[in-house]
Amino acid sequence: MPFALLKYALSREHPDDPHFRWKPDLKKTYDVIIIGAGGHGLAAAYHLAKDHGITNIAVLEKGWLAGGNTARNTTIVRANYLTPEGVAFYKESVELFRTLSNELDINVMYSERGHFTLAHTDAAMRTARWRAEVNKHMGVNSEVIDAAEVKRICPTMNVTDEARYPVLGALYHPPGAIARHDAVAWGYAKEAMKRGVEVHTQTEVKKILIENGRAIGVETNRGVIHAAKVMQAVAGSSSHVARMAGLKLPIKTIPLQACVSEPVKPILDQIVVSGSLHVYISQSARGEMVMGGATDAYGLYSSRSTLDFKESLMGHMLELFPFMGELRILRQWAGMADMTPDFSPVMGLTPVENYYIDAGWGTWGFKATPVCGKRMAECVATGRQPDLLKPFALSRFNTFDLVGEKGAASVGH
Amino acid sequence: MKILNCPLNGPRNISEFVWGGEMKAMPDPATATDAQWTEYLFLEDNTAGEITEWWLHAPTNYWFIARRNTITDEILETMTYDAFLARQQANASGEAEPAAKPATGGTETGATSA
Ligand SMILES: Cc1cc2nc3c(=O)[nH]c(=O)nc-3n(C[C@H](O)[C@H](O)[C@H](O)COP(=O)(O)OP(=O)(O)OC[C@H]3O[C@@H](n4cnc5c(N)ncnc54)[C@H](O)[C@@H]3O)c2cc1C
């Protein structure tokens, strides 16, 4: 980094390489095809190239680079999950995030803010206690604090008992962070392409070619391409693409909406989530209040925004942060979340040989981008399910061995 | 707010309802294999397009059927479960009715709001 800066300072021209080394033409065959150029697909390509020396890879994207849920998420990164399997997995991701700017040579603006999961009921306090104990046991920094301590750390929050649902306490997770989501995806794309990986946008996979129970390639709007291995990482389109491979998934596609306010000077340091009120908020580096809640009430393939969402969000937000009454909404949007029944992802091997899946990321997959890329790459390269991914295999639904994370993932993301 | 037309209570704000998901046929619990039960419990068609689905009117605890387009978010019609069964039987025995017509009165096409 310092040398690069020095080069910049002394040069009259722009000494940096172009970020993306696009190759316009598709080859006929690759070692690996990855469907979906969101953060997950790009991270997997990067780790296949860097850790496993597999560089003859095409990442196929029907739209533009990382324009799916990666571009729409509210960037909360944390490891304070509920199950030991979940905590171990997300913990590795948080560790990878901490050094990601160096790893990818791009500023992902990883910013540790501290993360509150507020409790307004005794039941929520119990869940907070449960999560704190599991977290501490697994070496993740989390503790239960009372309302006075919440107020001390976050003075702008209203914790009086005049609110409709007063704050009783919180699960406090100091490492909770936010990051610059686009830079994460672009960093992976840039570093993967530098190593020879091809990323093809405007290239939609329409069919998956299967011979004798093995994936052998895909058909796209730009023709047929063969590959030794095929991996899908398409978030909201997971069921649609998996069906092309003859697979039926435990997934419902449900919109998740979010919005930001106009930017203001720094006033809120922490990330604040309330599972009971179905709201969360953080302040971005630009000063915007980034806000969201739970998924919509029913399934839909659409990224429309609704007034109902904003009304219920703002009602609670104004009680928690009365100063928000002064702010105007600047933008609103939505993404299509691929929701599983246990609020855990689906990763790894499938019944189709040489076909790998990364799906079920719902409302919580941004934080997993680094670990998922690393471990899915390992899975694709070795053809074996890595230990860390074993609990999240698609086959868990056949053995009724679910990984119930609803208590930690339904609004917290 | 979007309006859903409940066959029991008439047009109501959609916030009064709970989504029950796409309709699936339940296998006989006494004879179903684990694989069939897994499919029934967890696996979803997750259709993009027209679906037949369950809804619950929460205040009256009343379950009924709707047809909806999951791309345009248009509610095409709502009907009682009995009306749904009657239509299925009629379709099976060949006297197919026009699909858009509800099988019983009082269940006209659910309105959508702007
Ligand atoms: C509003 C919102 C807020 C969120 N907040 C958080 C948060 O705070 N923290 C967190 O951890 N997670 C959050 N998430 C979840 C997170 O955004 C996703 O889980 C994650 O970004 C998924 O990454 P991905 O790379 O798998 O998918 P995507 O980024 O969606 O990439 C998939 C790509 O596949 C492409 N594709 C689809 N079909 C095809 C096809 N047939 N052929 C070729 N390409 C195809 C799509 O165009 C898309 O670009 C949020 C999501 C939303 C919508």
Side-chain angles (χ1 to χ4, degrees), chain A residues 35-41 60-63 67-70 72-76 203-205 233-235 237 241 256-258 280 333 335 361-367 413:
Chain A
I35 311 169
H40 283 223
L60 307 179
E61 166 58 51
K62 74 172 176 189
N69 287 358
T70 299
R72 295 153 201 273
N73 86 90
T74 48
T75 83
I76 298 172
T203 308
E204 178 172 1
V205 171
V234 294
S237 303
V241 172
L256 179 67
Q257 305 187 41
Y280 66 93
W333 68 91
W361 280 109
T363 65
W364 54 85
F366 173 70
K367 71 179 65 60
H413 303 327

Side-chain angles (χ1 to χ4, degrees), chain A residues 211-282:
Chain A
E211 223 173 67
N212 302 324
R214 287 161 182 260
I216 57 158
V218 299
E219 192 181 309
T220 73
N221 57 331
R222 298 171 60 197
V224 168
I225 323 168
H226 286 92
K229 296 178 175 188
V230 180
M231 167 183 153
Q232 74 165 74
V234 294
S237 303
S238 291
S239 299
H240 180 62
V241 172
R243 194 174 294 126
M244 299 176 194
L247 303 172
K248 193 170 171 183
L249 300 182
I251 284 178
K252 295 178 182 172
T253 296
I254 307 182
L256 179 67
Q257 305 187 41
C259 59
V260 295
S261 75
E262 58 191 330
V264 289
K265 288 275 189 294
I267 184 166
L268 179 65
D269 263 354
Q270 291 80 19
I271 302 156
V272 180
V273 175
S274 167
S276 318
L277 305 184
H278 294 252
V279 299
Y280 66 93
I281 183 169
S282 70

Side-chain angles (χ1 to χ4, degrees), chain B residues 5-20:
Chain B
N5 195 357
C6 173
L8 185 66
N9 302 284
R12 298 282 169 146
N13 283 343
I14 203 158
S15 60
E16 290 184 19
F17 298 87
V18 178
W19 186 48

Side-chain angles (χ1 to χ4, degrees), chain A residues 194-343:
Chain A
K194 204 188 264 177
R195 289 168 171 81
V197 170
E198 295 177 17
V199 179
H200 293 280
T201 56
Q202 306 293 317
T203 308
E204 178 172 1
V205 171
K206 305 252 190 193
K207 254 189 211 158
I208 290 162
L209 309 176
I210 296 182
E211 223 173 67
N212 302 324
R214 287 161 182 260
I216 57 158
V218 299
E219 192 181 309
T220 73
N221 57 331
R222 298 171 60 197
V224 168
I225 323 168
H226 286 92
K229 296 178 175 188
V230 180
M231 167 183 153
Q232 74 165 74
V234 294
S237 303
S238 291
S239 299
H240 180 62
V241 172
R243 194 174 294 126
M244 299 176 194
L247 303 172
K248 193 170 171 183
L249 300 182
I251 284 178
K252 295 178 182 172
T253 296
I254 307 182
L256 179 67
Q257 305 187 41
C259 59
V260 295
S261 75
E262 58 191 330
V264 289
K265 288 275 189 294
I267 184 166
L268 179 65
D269 263 354
Q270 291 80 19
I271 302 156
V272 180
V273 175
S274 167
S276 318
L277 305 184
H278 294 252
V279 299
Y280 66 93
I281 183 169
S282 70
Q283 188 171 18
S284 76
R286 265 200 299 249
E288 299 162 335
M289 296 293 171
V290 181
M291 293 171 278
T295 55
D296 280 10
Y298 56 91
L300 191 66
Y301 285 89
S302 167
S303 50
R304 56 100 178 88
S305 298
T306 66
L307 180 61
D308 310 6
F309 158 72
K310 286 182 286 292
E311 272 180 347
S312 68
L313 177 71
M314 296 315 160
H316 293 307
M317 213 50 105
L318 286 176
E319 278 204 332
L320 283 176
F321 296 103
F323 74 87
M324 294 278 296
E326 307 285 321
L327 296 185
R328 281 165 297 190
I329 294 289
L330 194 67
R331 280 195 310 283
Q332 57 179 51
W333 68 91
M336 294 186 293
D338 37 335
M339 302 295 291
T340 54
D342 56 359
F343 285 70

Side-chain angles (χ1 to χ4, degrees), chain B residues 20-99:
Chain B
E22 253 181 275
M23 202 167 189
K24 317 177 189 177
M26 185 170 82
D28 179 354
T31 58
T33 61
D34 279 0
Q36 285 168 324
W37 201 242
T38 298
E39 167 145 15
Y40 172 64
L41 281 185
F42 303 124
L43 304 190
E44 306 290 339
D45 286 330
N46 201 14
T47 309
E50 271 186 37
I51 62 166
T52 304
E53 62 190 358
W54 284 105
W55 282 90
L56 168 72
H57 182 247
T60 55
N61 201 23
Y62 179 74
W63 284 98
F64 62 97
I65 305 293
R67 281 201 315 118
R68 185 171 58 93
N69 185 314
T70 59
I71 298 172
T72 61
D73 201 14
E74 260 176 295
I75 298 158
L76 304 167
E77 60 176 329
T78 55
M79 68 194 96
T80 66
Y81 181 57
D82 286 345
F84 172 79
L85 286 181
R87 182 187 298 182
Q88 267 200 326
Q89 267 160 17
N91 285 349
S93 61
E95 338 154 4
E97 310 174 57

